């Protein structure tokens, strides 16, 4: 009989995870995903169930990494919240299974994993695509994703200025109290992104909030929000003028309103750049449209679980 599953909740996941280990782990996973000649990673596009009464969705994100022996799924609920709502915009749980027996090995807090792996993949995109010696980082949004992006971008890169924008003063003040580094609060999106070298959009917006006419030529934009085919953060001008990279081409053509509604051409997956099969256009304006993938959750959860096993003397 299989042992009962391990439960690894928020505080323990945070203790067991570091960006220095997570970034190379995710670079490897992204590269494997984009190798179309390999059956190593099997990952369908996220399945969603509409939660009409709650104005949200439940997503199921299964992944099988054959050579790594990782079978995983994430269950995530995400919502279109009104400004000022105290309810969470996402809630997630990650489940690791034994691929041979099919039993559940571990259940992990999915919010911490989602925050960390999303920010880490965004940082990988910046490492590959932003111009050398980038000095100004702008973050639109002040929620969990904005905070995780602030933390890893300041850990991996040396920006001279970090700007933040939110629809509310309360959001900016809450964010300011959550970080220890320098921060410039901005009253408008245009002010926040003026001459910014890297722009992160981590908003709850369903209509464009970032406009191409404001973006500095050669800037790198990381678009994290708007994960539905009718939701957007970026306007047509930016999407059509920039070189667009995605985590999953199939996912972007199914789920990304920024890609679908603008009719923008997707140049490459991030894994293609990692594998050396597509060019990184650092000198041009670039957009990395992040939707999040099950393989990112699987690789991150497996990393955390192995560290838990080592700590518990099981490895």
């Amino acid at each position: 009989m299989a042992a009962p599953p391990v439960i690894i909740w928020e505080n323990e996941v945070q203790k067991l995870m570091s960006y220095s280990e997570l970034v190379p782990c995710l670079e490897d996973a992204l590269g494997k995903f984009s190798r179309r000649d390999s059956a190593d990673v099997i990952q369908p596009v996220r399945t969603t169930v509409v939660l009409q009464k709650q104005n949200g969705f439940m997503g199921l994100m299964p992944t099988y990494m054959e050579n790594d022996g990782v079978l995983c799924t994430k269950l995530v609920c995400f919502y279109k919240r009104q400004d000022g709502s105290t309810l969470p915009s996402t809630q997630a749980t990650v489940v690791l299974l034994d691929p041979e027996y099919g039993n559940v090995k571990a259940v992990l807090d999915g919010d911490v994993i989602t925050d960390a792996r999303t920010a880490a993949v965004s940082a990988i995109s910046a490492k590959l695509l932003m111009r050398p010696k980038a000095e100004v980082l702008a973050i639109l949004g002040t929620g969990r994703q904005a905070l995780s992006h602030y933390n890893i971008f300041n850990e991996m890169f040396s920006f001279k200025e970090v700007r933040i924008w939110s629809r509310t003063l309360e959001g900016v003040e809450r964010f300011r109290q959550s970080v220890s580094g320098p921060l410039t609060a901005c009253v408008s999106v245009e002010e926040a992104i003026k001459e910014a070298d890297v722009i992160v959009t981590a908003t709850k917006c369903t209509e464009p909030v970032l406009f191409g006419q404001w973006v500095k030529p050669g800037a790198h934009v990381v678009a994290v929000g708007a994960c539905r085919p009718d939701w957007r953060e970026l306007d047509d001008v930016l999407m059509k003028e920039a070189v667009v990279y995605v985590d999953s081409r199939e996912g972007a053509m199914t789920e990304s309103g920024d890609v679908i509604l603008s009719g923008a051409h997707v140049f490459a997956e991030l894994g293609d750049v990692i594998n050396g099969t597509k060019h990184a256009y650092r000198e041009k304006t670039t957009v990395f449209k992040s939707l999040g993938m099950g393989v990112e959750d699987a690789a991150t959860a497996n990393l955390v679980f192995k560290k838990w096993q080592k700590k518990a003397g099981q490895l």
Side-chain angles (χ1 to χ4, degrees):
M1 181 179 293
V6 173
I7 310 295
I8 311 176
W9 288 138
E10 181 177 0
N11 291 339
E12 188 70 7
V13 173
Q14 289 176 330
K15 291 176 184 177
L16 292 170
M17 189 163 44
S18 68
Y19 284 127
S20 62
E21 294 176 308
L22 183 58
V23 167
C25 173
L26 288 172
E27 287 177 329
D28 179 66
L30 291 166
K32 288 177 178 176
F33 172 77
S34 292
R35 293 189 193 112
R36 293 295 185 263
D37 59 346
S38 170
D40 181 22
V41 176
I42 300 173
Q43 177 203 277
V45 174
R46 175 169 35 213
T47 300
T48 57
V49 174
V50 178
L51 308 175
Q52 189 167 355
K53 183 178 179 180
Q54 293 80 15
N55 203 17
F57 303 86
M58 183 187 74
L60 181 65
M61 303 169 66
T63 300
Y64 178 40
M65 303 177 73
E66 185 174 53
N67 292 338
D68 295 300
V70 179
L71 180 62
C72 177
T73 193
K74 183 170 78 174
L75 300 99
V76 55
C77 292
F78 51 100
Y79 304 88
K80 183 179 177 182
R81 302 294 193 195
Q82 298 297 321
D83 288 342
S85 173
T86 58
L87 295 174
S89 58
T90 61
Q91 290 277 277
T93 302
V94 178
V95 179
L96 279 174
L97 302 96
D98 186 307
E100 185 172 2
Y101 292 94
N103 61 291
V104 176
K105 296 193 299 183
V107 179
L108 302 92
D109 181 274
D111 290 332
V112 177
I113 287 174
T114 301
D115 293 345
R117 61 81 155 152
T118 305
V121 171
S122 294
I124 291 167
S125 83
K127 185 175 78 168
L128 295 171
L129 299 172
M130 76 179 184
R131 285 186 171 183
K133 299 180 181 179
E135 296 184 344
V136 179
L137 168 66
I139 300 176
L140 309 183
T142 53
R144 293 180 60 126
Q145 283 293 351
L147 181 59
S148 62
H149 279 72
Y150 176 92
N151 289 334
I152 190 171
F153 273 67
N154 281 282
E155 181 176 320
M156 286 183 59
F157 311 113
S158 298
F159 293 103
K160 292 183 179 180
E161 184 182 9
V162 181
R163 303 173 186 162
I164 192 77
W165 170 85
S166 173
R167 289 187 182 276
T168 66
L169 294 175
E170 292 82 6
V172 171
E173 187 56 35
R174 183 180 63 251
F175 190 91
R176 191 193 295 276
Q177 293 175 5
S178 301
V179 303
S180 56
L183 196 68
T184 302
C186 299
V187 297
S188 70
V189 172
E190 188 173 2
E191 178 190 356
I193 70 166
K194 184 178 181 181
E195 296 301 311
D197 300 293
V198 180
I199 303 165
V200 175
T201 61
T203 74
K204 296 185 290 184
C205 296
T206 57
E207 298 292 337
V209 67
L210 180 62
F211 295 88
Q213 67 187 46
W214 299 339
V215 176
K216 174 184 177 180
H220 177 55
V221 177
V222 179
V224 177
C227 58
R228 294 294 299 161
D230 56 345
W231 294 1
R232 298 192 65 174
E233 288 184 305
L234 317 181
D235 78 334
D236 286 356
V237 172
L238 178 56
M239 289 301 297
K240 290 182 177 180
E241 291 184 353
V243 182
V244 178
Y245 299 80
V246 296
D247 42 18
S248 163
R249 187 183 295 271
E250 185 181 9
M253 297 309 297
T254 304
E255 296 184 309
S256 172
D258 285 321
V259 172
I260 296 167
L261 299 178
S262 69
H265 170 68
V266 173
F267 173 70
E269 293 177 346
L270 206 57
D272 294 326
V273 181
I274 292 169
N275 293 335
T277 58
K278 289 287 187 176
H279 186 67
Y281 284 102
R282 289 180 177 271
E283 71 280 7
K284 296 185 179 182
T285 304
T286 53
V287 167
F288 170 57
K289 177 56 199 173
S290 169
L291 286 162
M293 299 195 297
V295 69
E296 298 164 4
D297 299 307
T300 304
N302 190 52
L303 176 66
V304 171
F305 182 56
K306 284 185 174 179
K307 293 194 71 175
W308 181 91
Q309 287 180 302
K310 186 175 181 179
K311 183 180 178 181
Q314 295 182 10
L315 280 181

